[in-house]
């Protein structure tokens, strides 16, 4: 059986969520990886969405129960993580990463985290969740200099965006 990788992001690239670089990166990396392995992209939004984009790429948006986009919560998160072999969390200081890291640790899954900036309330401010992860996956050598937690294992994976899929905005203004 082929491995299933979950990419977990508190937000996703959409007007219903946030249109930003971190959101674009998480989805683009998920899409790119799905050419080699089965991928389940999991995020949170105002309504539930379940899409099978390709035979190897599944996109699940869980309906969040909170108003803060960087502190989403859904009671369906653990169900969405069931059956995965590896969990790659995008953002370190968010509640969903804390929950997924603990779940992965308890169930023996490999957990990796790319901190793309930003965050919100999480028990990780008081409990070192880095002990539950295999390694950090920073997107630059610069980001690797300030890894959170005591676990400093890392591999730089760098960043990139497919500009044929994610077009530049017509107007250079920020939302």
């Amino acid at each position: 059986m082929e491995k299933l990788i979950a990419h977990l992001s508190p937000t996703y690239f959409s007007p219903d969520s946030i249109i930003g670089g971190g959101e674009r990166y998480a989805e683009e990396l998920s899409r790119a990886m799905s050419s080699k392995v089965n991928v389940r992209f999991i995020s949170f939004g105002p309504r539930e969405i379940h899409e099978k984009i390709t035979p190897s790429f599944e996109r699940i948006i869980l309906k969040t129960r909170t108003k803060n986009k960087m502190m989403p919560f859904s009671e369906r998160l653990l169900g969405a993580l069931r059956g995965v072999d590896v969990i790659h969390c995008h953002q370190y200081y968010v509640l969903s990463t804390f929950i997924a890291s603990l779940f992965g640790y308890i169930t023996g899954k490999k957990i990796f985290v790319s901190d793309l900036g930003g965050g919100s309330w999480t028990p990780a401010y008081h409990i070192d969740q880095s002990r539950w992860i295999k390694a950090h996956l920073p997107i630059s050598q610069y980001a690797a200099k300030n890894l959170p937690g005591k676990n400093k294992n890392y591999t730089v994976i760098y960043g990139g965006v497919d500009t044929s899929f994610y077009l530049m905005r017509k107007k250079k203004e920020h939302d």
Side-chain angles (χ1 to χ4, degrees), residues 93-133:
Y93 286 114
V94 292
L95 181 59
S96 55
T97 293
F98 185 86
I99 292 169
S101 296
L102 181 57
F103 171 79
Y105 176 74
I106 290 169
T107 59
K109 309 296 180 200
K110 291 181 181 176
I111 310 296
F112 299 89
V113 179
S114 291
D115 192 6
L116 304 174
S120 188
W121 179 87
T122 170
Y125 284 116
H126 307 287
I127 300 169
D128 183 11
Q129 72 188 14
S130 75
R131 63 189 163 158
W132 301 328
I133 69 173

Side-chain angles (χ1 to χ4, degrees), residues 26-35 53 57 59 165-166:
E27 288 209 52
E28 189 61 24
L29 180 60
S30 298
R31 274 182 211 281
M33 287 182 69
S34 73
S35 69
I53 308 293
F57 184 53
R59 187 171 180 263
F165 187 79
Y166 291 107

Side-chain angles (χ1 to χ4, degrees), residues 61-74:
I61 309 301
L62 301 170
K63 183 175 180 178
T64 184
R65 303 295 179 206
T66 63
K67 293 183 191 230
N68 182 335
K69 289 182 180 179
M70 289 305 291
M71 192 179 73
F73 175 77
S74 171

Side-chain angles (χ1 to χ4, degrees), residues 39-56:
V39 174
R40 181 179 295 161
F41 177 80
I42 305 166
S43 190
F44 304 85
R47 65 189 195 291
E48 187 116 351
I49 302 169
H50 191 145
E51 303 171 300
K52 189 79 167 168
I53 308 293
T54 68
S56 61

Side-chain angles (χ1 to χ4, degrees), residues 89-93 113-118 136-139 143 146 148:
C89 300
H90 297 269
Q91 302 299 11
Y92 187 85
Y93 286 114
V113 179
S114 291
D115 192 6
L116 304 174
H136 297 270
L137 299 176
I139 62 171
N146 296 304

